[in-house]
Amino acid sequence: PKAKRTQNLLSGEMSEKDKEILAQNAKLNVTEDQEDEIVPMWKPELSFHLVNEGSVFPRGGVPQQMLDHMDICPDTGRYWPIVHMNEFWLMRHRMLPVNGTLEELPLKLSFTVSDRIKWLMVQQWDTSMEQQRSMGTSSDKDQDEMKRIFLESNPYLLGLTAAVSILHSVFDFLAFKNDIS
């Protein structure tokens, strides 16, 4: 990121965020002239998912979400297994900038079998996040924070929080309805 180099008019000090950006750039040996350069990033994890799909679909009856990822033989109508490279859970803070300071690049490969429902849910969420990013309603940082919450939080606690929020909304609605009448 590029530091704005703004200063507080009263104290004359640089903002904390700019200090963090400059410190991070200093660690990476990035000068002021190089701040606008696009830096390639190394993804330390590659996760391949073979989608467990044994369904027989009629001709022209394959769901569109799956059809985009399938290689179908036009003569026989048979299709190859869906192999999906999943980068969904790879967050930006785990990526490494590729520059002259790197001596070695870590790489973790994983290969798993995934159910069709799980794969479709991840695909749908990824598509939704891409649409939010393209409309400008969400940034990569916001999306990484949401992923971090799901990865690091207890699922029961998240479910309880959602249930309490729904109950709170229902009680607010009932109280508002009672106030009006």
Side-chain angles (χ1 to χ4, degrees):
K2 186 173 182 177
K4 294 181 182 178
R5 292 181 170 73
T6 56
Q7 291 184 347
N8 185 326
L9 293 176
L10 297 175
S11 66
E13 293 182 11
M14 193 177 294
S15 71
E16 291 298 321
K17 185 175 181 180
D18 284 348
K19 287 179 185 177
E20 288 176 17
I21 291 171
L22 291 175
Q24 183 181 20
N25 288 348
K27 267 198 281 187
L28 299 173
N29 297 325
V30 175
T31 63
E32 189 175 339
D33 298 332
Q34 296 171 324
E35 281 184 336
D36 291 331
E37 289 182 19
I38 296 174
V39 178
M41 301 297 277
W42 177 261
K43 298 175 182 177
E45 296 177 11
L46 286 178
S47 180
F48 295 96
H49 293 270
L50 178 67
V51 179
N52 185 11
E53 176 52 53
S55 301
V56 177
F57 295 105
R59 267 196 203 275
V62 179
Q64 188 62 41
Q65 297 94 339
M66 294 179 65
L67 190 59
D68 295 338
H69 301 280
M70 295 175 85
D71 187 19
I72 301 175
C73 178
D75 299 331
T76 63
R78 294 184 178 184
Y79 55 88
W80 291 98
I82 300 170
V83 178
H84 172 67
M85 190 171 87
N86 188 3
E87 294 180 347
F88 184 75
W89 296 106
L90 180 62
M91 293 185 267
R92 294 180 58 85
H93 75 275
R94 307 262 336 262
M95 295 183 192
L96 302 170
V98 178
N99 56 23
T101 62
L102 286 176
E103 295 179 10
E104 62 181 34
L105 295 171
L107 180 61
K108 177 185 172 188
L109 292 174
S110 65
F111 183 81
T112 58
V113 177
S114 180
D115 290 333
R116 177 177 65 168
I117 299 298
K118 180 181 176 184
W119 172 69
L120 283 174
M121 284 179 19
V122 169
Q123 281 298 110
Q124 180 61 37
W125 195 5
D126 198 27
T127 302
S128 172
M129 291 183 133
E130 185 60 40
Q131 288 174 348
Q132 289 176 9
R133 207 178 355 231
S134 68
M135 291 186 293
T137 58
S138 179
S139 67
D140 288 337
K141 186 177 178 182
D142 297 333
Q143 293 176 0
D144 278 356
E145 184 64 23
M146 182 64 81
K147 292 175 190 177
R148 187 190 63 76
I149 289 170
F150 283 120
L151 284 173
E152 295 177 0
S153 298
N154 185 344
Y156 295 113
L157 182 62
L158 289 175
L160 179 66
T161 304
V164 168
S165 297
I166 290 170
L167 281 173
H168 188 276
S169 297
V170 168
F171 290 141
D172 275 349
F173 172 74
L174 291 174
F176 184 69
K177 182 180 172 189
N178 191 29
D179 285 347
I180 291 177
S181 60

